[in-house]
Amino acid sequence: MPKPVILILGFGNNIGANVASRFAQAGFDVAVVCRKIEKECILPEYLAIKKDLREAEGLAAVFEEVESAYGPPAVVVYNVAQGVFARPGEPLSLQYSDIVNDATTTGLNAFEAARLANEAFNKLPANQSRVFIATGNQLVTQNIPHLIGLSIGKRALANIIEACATAYGDSGKR
């Protein structure tokens, strides 16, 4: 029986490295996606894909590469975020493009990742667990004015996760 696969989108030397290590120890094949390959935190047995995830267009190719190497992922982690800080006390000091980029990268691109994860999950055996994990922070519930763009993205991400949990939870997808 093939090993289960985890795909970590937005891998770095903190959350991503720790999640990868835990799942590798649990017997998963690990695929990681990051803007730059940091050799000190990527083990040789990981499939490392260099991709800037600020653009969702390349996500399908990432899923195809992982599936070709290991099979469809059973766990997908969305650990992608971007935040341009506004001047303290002046959330409207940002440019519109900053807000759009922060919200898109942090939240809206997660929709495409979740959609592709759902397609991958449908290829797994019936008894295989299916999990989409999104990393978050206090911005979903707490207002921090100088982080308005990141906050909009995290709130969009939470909405996507809640909608998918409601729609797909009864089918065993988490």
Side-chain angles (χ1 to χ4, degrees):
M1 184 168 138
K3 297 192 317 187
V5 178
I6 181 170
L7 169 58
I8 302 172
L9 301 167
F11 179 86
N13 59 8
N14 290 315
I15 294 172
N18 287 306
V19 170
S21 175
R22 287 290 194 128
F23 276 85
Q25 290 172 7
F28 280 70
D29 280 326
V30 177
V32 300
V33 182
C34 46
R35 266 187 289 219
K36 53 187 177 218
I37 305 295
E38 299 175 20
K39 296 192 185 322
E40 67 273 4
C41 61
I42 297 177
L43 299 179
E45 59 267 29
Y46 296 172
L47 172 64
I49 301 168
K50 184 177 178 181
K51 171 81 177 107
D52 187 338
L53 295 171
R54 289 178 286 193
E55 302 291 331
E57 288 74 28
L59 279 171
V62 166
F63 275 81
E64 289 169 10
E65 185 172 345
V66 171
E67 191 166 338
S68 176
Y70 293 142
V75 178
V76 176
V77 178
Y78 193 82
N79 184 44
V80 181
Q82 175 178 307
V84 176
F85 288 27
R87 289 190 298 270
E90 296 184 53
L92 299 179
S93 65
L94 290 175
Q95 296 297 310
Y96 177 75
S97 60
D98 292 331
I99 294 293
V100 170
N101 290 335
D102 289 358
T104 300
T105 301
T106 305
L108 299 178
N109 287 352
F111 176 86
E112 180 64 356
R115 189 186 71 74
L116 292 165
N118 188 52
E119 288 179 5
F121 294 165
N122 290 335
K123 298 174 186 176
L124 294 169
N127 63 345
Q128 177 74 53
S129 296
R130 298 152 168 83
V131 181
F132 186 89
I133 300 168
T135 59
N137 58 30
Q138 65 193 12
L139 291 175
V140 174
T141 58
Q142 183 178 357
N143 187 346
I144 302 175
H146 69 277
L147 297 176
I148 188 170
L150 184 60
S151 177
I152 292 168
K154 288 296 185 181
R155 290 174 189 209
L157 177 59
N159 189 298
I160 292 164
I161 295 300
E162 290 170 2
C164 291
T166 299
Y168 302 112
D170 288 344
S171 69
K173 297 174 185 172
R174 308 225 178 257

